[in-house]
Amino acid sequence: MNEGEMLLIKVPASTANLGPGFDSIGLALNLYLTLEVVLSDRWEVIPLTDELKEFPNDEKNFIVKTAIEVAKSFQTLLSPCQIKVASNIPLARGLGSSASAIVAGIELADQVGDLRLTKHQKFEIASKMEGHPDNVGASLFGGLVIGCQLGEEVDAEIIHSIDLEVLAVIPEEELLTKSSRGVLPSSLSFGEAVSAGAISNLLVAALLSGNIELAGKMMKKDKYHQPYRKELVPHLQIMEDQAYELGAYGVALSGAGPTVLCFVRPGEMNALMEGLTPLLPEMCFLPLEIDKEGSLCSGAIVTKAQ
């Protein structure tokens, strides 16, 4: 990036797991983290949304730290930038806010440092930073991402042909991934693992074939994480009990929670919201769509920040 140019980075939110696709299935959603970047004499992060004001406004900011770390791994020193940051992705709600920040940091390093990384290189870096490929893969590629991370090797298939309408039911309180992972078992028996894997396999097949009822059935039968996390997310059980009766064909904890997603047929979103609102009056209901583009970077000429 040259002096006098502005860089715009836009990264979508994501949900992960979709029930039994634990740490391997991600879906990009149309909420966004956006960065406006110009070269400057020092690192400065200017938050444009209130939730972001709690974070450092210099090189200690997570996005900037990520960018500097990535550039350093390619023996590149980044020029300081002024970055205006906006986001409508709720923090610590299971909608991939940390993954979007990682992807934004990688895109920042790539553009400012002229690293010329491929999408797959970005995916490998992001997966290693996040620890699993689902959220970062969805934020990078858009659409439905099915990934596998084994040691240093990361592979994925990206599907953009799937159309789902999603209702996110979001509580006010945060739930950190570390806390949510703390309730999971350390191991499953061989028989349980086989059963859990079969459910996950059938979920993917049902999504790809368009058998949405079967996909929703497999979401509910997850054995990897949802049964254990219900103690932290009690509204998941309420929604599993009621949302299907109100027209949803699938219900799944979004990532580590506490957001829960309902998957609905076209035209049935309003009826589902109207039915769930009296049951969960403290929740925020947010209709969402799949983002099919993933992270985007574009540039335009502006004056250098002073």
Side-chain angles (χ1 to χ4, degrees), residues 172-184:
E172 290 186 8
E173 58 276 358
E174 297 181 353
L175 178 59
L176 298 179
T177 301
K178 182 178 179 181
S179 301
S180 193
R181 283 190 178 266
V183 300
L184 301 181

Side-chain angles (χ1 to χ4, degrees), residues 31-259:
L31 299 169
Y32 298 96
L33 171 66
T34 305
L35 280 62
E36 296 179 3
V37 185
V38 292
L39 294 177
S40 186
D41 299 322
R42 61 188 175 88
W43 286 106
E44 182 185 12
V45 179
I46 301 173
L48 300 181
T49 45
D50 289 340
E51 273 195 312
L52 301 178
K53 291 180 180 178
E54 64 183 81
F55 299 110
N57 61 3
D58 55 14
E59 62 269 20
K60 298 184 184 67
N61 184 278
F62 180 69
I63 295 172
V64 176
K65 285 174 62 178
T66 299
I68 292 172
E69 179 183 339
V70 171
K72 185 178 179 181
S73 71
F74 289 91
Q75 293 78 51
T76 299
L77 181 64
L78 294 183
S79 300
C81 298
Q82 180 195 83
I83 308 170
K84 294 180 180 179
V85 185
S87 178
N88 60 356
I89 305 173
L91 300 176
R93 299 300 200 285
L95 289 168
S97 58
S98 64
S100 65
I102 288 172
V103 171
I106 294 170
E107 296 285 16
L108 179 64
D110 184 51
Q111 295 291 321
V112 177
D114 194 27
L115 302 181
R116 304 187 183 187
L117 301 174
T118 66
K119 276 279 191 180
H120 191 77
Q121 284 177 306
K122 295 173 186 176
F123 178 52
E124 289 180 327
I125 295 166
S127 297
K128 289 171 186 175
M129 287 185 162
E130 178 78 343
H132 41 90
D134 43 10
N135 290 104
V136 294
S139 286
L140 268 167
F141 297 112
L144 179 72
V145 175
I146 303 165
C148 178
Q149 184 170 353
L150 299 173
E152 297 295 305
E153 192 173 358
V154 188
D155 296 291
E157 280 290 333
I158 299 94
I159 299 102
H160 287 135
S161 59
I162 290 177
D163 286 306
L164 302 173
E165 291 194 16
V166 184
L167 176 64
V169 181
I170 310 171
E172 290 186 8
E173 58 276 358
E174 297 181 353
L175 178 59
L176 298 179
T177 301
K178 182 178 179 181
S179 301
S180 193
R181 283 190 178 266
V183 300
L184 301 181
S186 58
S187 63
L188 295 176
S189 71
F190 182 80
E192 289 173 325
V194 170
S195 176
I199 293 167
S200 183
N201 293 342
L202 191 49
L203 168 73
V204 173
L207 288 171
L208 295 180
S209 68
N211 190 339
I212 57 176
E213 287 82 7
L214 182 58
K217 182 179 179 180
M218 293 304 104
M219 290 178 191
K220 193 172 183 180
K221 288 184 177 294
D222 164 57
K223 294 179 180 293
Y224 286 124
H225 72 117
Q226 291 182 151
Y228 309 101
R229 286 173 164 167
K230 283 180 178 178
E231 63 183 79
L232 300 177
V233 189
H235 56 283
L236 173 58
Q237 185 66 61
I238 295 172
M239 292 174 64
E240 283 187 341
D241 291 342
Q242 301 295 328
Y244 291 92
E245 299 295 326
L246 295 168
Y249 64 81
V251 173
L253 189 63
S254 184
T259 295

